């Protein structure tokens, strides 16, 4: 399993949600009014947390799950089920790269 593939998918999905939500970068808000000119071209990279608050709840939940998945990639625990500790099937990760649980545990939650 190449986690970098999933990282790319997660980042792409995150960007999609943010764009679909019509969220403007924080650079437009008061916090950065003093950072015009030369500084304006530099990305801060810390906007995600603030952006999440403005989204629909569903999207916000997915965004949070994506952030957590990215953290798990960094920690090297990505692709392991939160509930049972077993590896999550690649097919499931391909479909929902931000999932926290394997299909078996997901089915248990539904019932
Ligand atoms: Zn499980």
């Amino acid at each position: 399993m190449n986690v970098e593939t999933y990282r790319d998918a997660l980042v792409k999905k995150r960007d999609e949600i943010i764009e679909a939500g019509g969220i403007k970068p924080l650079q437009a808000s008061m916090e950065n009014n003093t950072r015009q000119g030369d500084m304006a071209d530099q990305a801060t990279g810390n906007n995600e947390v603030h952006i999440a608050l403005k989204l629909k709840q569903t999207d916000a939940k997915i965004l949070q799950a994506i952030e957590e998945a990215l953290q798990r990639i960094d920690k090297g625990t990505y692709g392991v089920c939160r509930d049972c500790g077993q590896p999550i099937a690649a097919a499931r990760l391909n479909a929902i790269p931000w999932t926290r649980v394997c299909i078996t545990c997901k089915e248990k939650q539904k019932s």
Side-chain angles (χ1 to χ4, degrees):
M1 175 170 66
N2 183 357
V3 293
E4 293 304 323
T5 306
Y6 293 119
R7 190 201 297 272
D8 286 349
L10 288 162
V11 169
K12 195 174 163 204
K13 178 68 180 175
R14 183 177 64 183
D15 289 348
E16 275 175 22
I17 292 174
I18 290 169
E19 278 171 29
I23 306 301
K24 282 185 280 185
L26 261 199
Q27 225 132 15
S29 75
M30 56 185 180
E31 195 172 309
N32 286 302
N33 274 355
T34 56
R35 301 184 58 183
Q36 302 289 326
D38 293 344
M39 301 291 282
D41 290 333
Q42 296 181 12
T44 63
N46 289 318
N47 294 339
E48 293 92 331
V49 177
H50 306 282
I51 289 168
L53 299 174
K54 299 183 182 179
L55 294 173
K56 287 186 300 184
Q57 201 170 13
T58 312
D59 285 346
K61 273 184 187 171
I62 295 175
L63 260 191
Q64 188 181 355
I66 289 172
E67 291 296 338
E68 288 174 11
L70 289 169
Q71 286 172 17
R72 288 197 298 276
I73 287 175
D74 288 339
K75 283 191 214 159
T77 60
Y78 180 75
V80 176
C81 175
R82 181 195 61 186
D83 288 355
C84 70
Q86 295 297 309
I88 299 171
R92 177 162 169 76
L93 288 176
N94 288 335
I96 317 171
W98 55 89
T99 188
R100 299 181 182 90
V101 295
C102 69
I103 190 68
T104 309
C105 294
K106 184 71 185 174
E107 291 298 321
K108 274 187 213 159
Q109 283 176 9
K110 276 187 205 163
S111 60

